[in-house]
Amino acid sequence: MEFQAVVMAAGGGSRMTDLTSSIPKPLLPVGNRPLLWYPLNLLERAGFEEVIVITRKEIQKVLNLDTKMKLDFVFISDNMDMGTADSLRHIHQKIKTDVLVLSCDLITDVDLYKVVDLFRTHDATLSMLMKKTHEPTEAVPGQKGKKKPVEQRDFIGVDDTGKRLLFMANEADLDEELVIKRSILQKHPRMHIRTGLMDAHLYCLKKYVVDFLVENRTITSLRSELIPHLVRRQFSSPMSLQQGLDNKEMDQKKKEQTSLDIYSFIKEDNSLLKPAPDNSCWNDHRGDMNETLHEGKVRCYVHIMKEGLCYRVNTLGLYIEANRQVPKLLLNLGLEEPLVHGSAQITDRGMVGSDSIIGSCTQVGEKTSIKHSIIGSMCTIKDKVKITNCIIMNSVTIEEGCCLQGSVICHNAVIEKGADIKDCLIGSDQRLETKGK
């Protein structure tokens, strides 16, 4: 087994509490499938047979996934506040090989091999996935009057190929200027600094990185701490060399520092016979292969998607946008299931848009129009209802004559007769009274 796959599904969804206060983030319905289904499906399409899923116990109890893969659930206690690095450290005894780590909120049609092959070809410490940031253009329900949080930009430095990851810094961690270390520019005098890229939270990591995490417990987050650390260490000497070759007089503190150096966890590969780089059949990156064979043992790479779908569903706006894109995604994935479930009872099918999804056992009354919307399972939608650009979760009742536009209606909600709502978020088990607006 070349890789073990790990899906992180224990987070609480702190940036979308309007939804996750009543529905655990991995179970949020996207296109009538739980959010967790999408990264698992990505792994299954890539040929994985087993996946470690780090989650909360109550999620596994209600999770109903159609997958042939063996799912090894590892539970995080509800009273434990763990970052992603903490979670990976928590399962380190299960990790026997290099590891592919994904977040449960990733929805993408990326060719996973493009990330994995970067890792293989360059014997990388890290390879990761990025894509241009997508900002929702339409109004977000329930956000009227709320101040939009300011997002801190990431500054990403890559070489001429756009694949070697040379620099990474967040705007919050910088002073007034961007400082590039001389050691980077000596080896890569041409660097392209990019902003507006989204980290997809998909990482290929060497096994020794997990070993490093086990010892270095100060790192709690993969995204904000471990990944920038690995990128920085590419162009630094091992601490043992910085301290001189004579280690006999090194005090205990310096020994501890060396033990926490990523270089001290890298095992020498004596099977590598150092082939001539110019003649290597893997040499698609001539300037870098010499470094691969002779120096620079920490190497980081990035695959930046130029086309295709890639969303991190970590805000309400992106949750809505992902649902709107799901019909296209399912088509791209070759899933030929009908968008309208066979058990749904619809009186006037001609009034249901071709890009809408309707779940099992849902009943739709006469003269009811559904456009650009996702309707869950076991819903009752009565006569003369108009639904446009909405997400309706499971077991929702919408009574006669209602008009819903640009809204999210959560599980078991009831919208009473004649209600007219626009850009609203209705929570689980809520009732909107007659003629509500």
Side-chain angles (χ1 to χ4, degrees):
M1 182 169 55
E2 184 182 8
F3 284 100
Q4 288 176 268
V6 177
V7 175
M8 301 284 186
S14 59
R15 299 178 65 192
M16 49 197 307
T17 52
D18 290 339
L19 291 176
T20 56
S21 58
S22 59
I23 307 165
K25 183 177 179 180
L27 300 181
L28 283 173
V30 177
N32 288 342
R33 288 176 165 86
L35 184 53
L36 180 57
W37 178 86
Y38 290 90
L40 291 176
N41 176 261
L42 175 66
L43 293 169
E44 189 167 18
R45 286 186 283 115
F48 281 86
E49 297 178 353
E50 298 183 18
V51 182
I52 300 171
V53 181
I54 304 175
T55 189
R56 309 280 178 178
K57 199 158 192 174
E58 71 272 12
I59 292 173
Q60 192 255 348
K61 286 180 181 178
V62 298
L63 198 59
N64 182 21
L65 292 171
D66 180 20
T67 178
K68 296 177 182 178
M69 294 187 299
K70 177 185 176 183
L71 303 182
D72 180 6
F73 286 98
V74 177
F75 301 118
I76 302 294
S77 173
D78 288 340
N79 57 14
M80 295 175 70
D81 184 18
M82 282 192 174
T84 49
D86 296 320
S87 297
L88 194 55
R89 191 181 295 117
H90 183 67
I91 63 163
H92 76 272
Q93 291 182 332
K94 290 178 176 284
I95 303 300
K96 309 298 182 186
T97 68
D98 297 337
V99 63
L100 175 61
V101 181
L102 301 84
S103 174
C104 78
D105 61 12
L106 175 62
I107 297 180
T108 181
D109 58 1
V110 69
D111 181 352
L112 195 55
Y113 288 104
K114 290 184 178 179
V115 183
V116 172
D117 284 348
L118 272 179
F119 188 81
R120 290 169 172 155
T121 302
H122 302 286
D123 192 26
T125 304
L126 157 77
S127 67
M128 61 187 294
L129 175 66
M130 287 187 172
K131 193 177 191 296
K132 187 176 179 181
T133 303
H134 180 87
E135 289 293 334
T137 54
E138 299 188 31
V140 178
Q143 303 299 302
K144 188 175 181 179
K146 291 185 180 180
K147 189 175 181 180
K148 185 178 178 181
V150 177
E151 293 285 345
Q152 300 287 355
R153 292 179 298 171
D154 284 323
F155 293 89
I156 306 299
V158 294
D159 68 358
D160 282 338
T161 70
K163 297 177 182 179
R164 182 71 189 266
L165 182 57
L166 305 174
F167 179 83
M168 174 184 281
N170 185 268
E171 191 172 10
D173 301 324
L174 301 174
D175 293 325
E176 294 183 356
E177 55 188 19
L178 197 65
V179 178
I180 309 294
K181 290 171 63 176
R182 183 180 299 172
S183 58
I184 301 176
L185 296 175
Q186 285 174 339
K187 293 185 178 180
H188 297 274
R190 286 175 57 88
M191 184 193 303
H192 303 264
I193 299 293
R194 298 190 57 175
T195 58
L197 292 176
M198 174 200 72
D199 179 354
H201 284 219
L202 186 156
Y203 312 118
C204 291
L205 296 167
K206 285 287 193 187
K207 165 70 166 59
Y208 62 72
V209 176
V210 180
D211 298 336
F212 166 72
L213 275 180
V214 172
E215 297 298 325
N216 194 340
R217 294 183 173 271
T218 61
I219 293 177
T220 61
S221 165
L222 297 180
R223 167 65 185 90
S224 61
E225 295 175 83
L226 177 66
I227 305 304
H229 177 79
L230 295 177
V231 173
R232 286 194 302 269
R233 294 297 289 143
Q234 293 180 98
F235 305 102
S236 301
S237 302
M239 288 182 182
S240 59
L241 294 179
Q242 294 172 9
Q243 293 160 354
L245 297 176
D246 185 4
N247 293 327
K248 291 180 181 180
E249 297 180 1
M250 193 163 42
D251 60 25
Q252 186 62 32
K253 185 177 180 180
K254 287 184 177 180
K255 286 182 180 179
E256 290 173 0
Q257 288 176 341
T258 302
S259 71
L260 296 180
D261 181 13
I262 186 68
Y263 283 93
S264 65
F265 292 86
I266 301 174
K267 295 180 175 63
E268 292 291 337
D269 185 1
N270 294 325
S271 65
L272 188 63
L273 298 179
K274 300 191 185 301
D278 289 339
N279 297 328
S280 171
C281 63
W282 288 102
N283 188 9
D284 64 347
H285 194 176
R286 289 182 180 271
D288 216 25
M289 283 306 292
N290 189 58
E291 183 177 46
T292 299
L293 297 170
H294 300 291
E295 55 179 83
K297 293 178 182 177
V298 176
R299 292 182 292 277
C300 302
Y301 286 83
V302 59
H303 172 61
I304 301 174
M305 285 182 71
K306 294 180 180 177
E307 54 187 28
L309 297 175
C310 186
Y311 291 95
R312 286 223 35 235
V313 183
N314 56 2
T315 66
L316 178 57
L318 288 171
Y319 172 74
I320 293 167
E321 185 64 26
N323 271 283
R324 288 178 180 145
Q325 296 295 335
V326 155
K328 183 194 298 184
L329 175 68
L330 297 179
L331 186 65
N332 291 351
L333 298 182
L335 297 174
E336 298 180 358
E337 302 172 12
L339 297 182
V340 177
H341 196 276
S343 63
Q345 299 178 25
I346 303 172
T347 305
D348 297 321
R349 283 191 173 258
M351 298 186 72
V352 176
S354 60
D355 57 354
S356 293
I357 296 177
I358 299 181
S360 62
C361 303
T362 284
Q363 299 179 8
V364 180
E366 293 183 354
K367 298 181 180 179
T368 288
S369 166
I370 299 174
K371 307 293 183 187
H372 316 299
S373 297
I374 310 287
I375 314 294
S377 301
M378 307 291 293
C379 293
T380 300
I381 302 173
K382 297 193 176 178
D383 300 344
K384 299 179 181 178
V385 172
K386 186 176 182 180
I387 300 173
T388 308
N389 286 330
C390 290
I391 300 168
I392 314 293
M393 297 189 189
N394 297 335
S395 303
V396 170
T397 298
I398 302 174
E399 296 184 350
E400 185 177 352
C402 292
C403 181
L404 285 70
Q405 183 176 345
S407 298
V408 177
I409 315 297
C410 296
H411 299 311
N412 304 306
V414 176
I415 311 299
E416 292 189 357
K417 182 177 179 180
D420 184 357
I421 63 175
K422 180 179 180 181
D423 299 333
C424 290
L425 173 63
I426 309 296
S428 296
D429 302 303
Q430 299 296 306
R431 174 180 287 267
L432 191 67
E433 295 180 357
T434 300
K435 295 295 181 184
K437 198 159 186 174

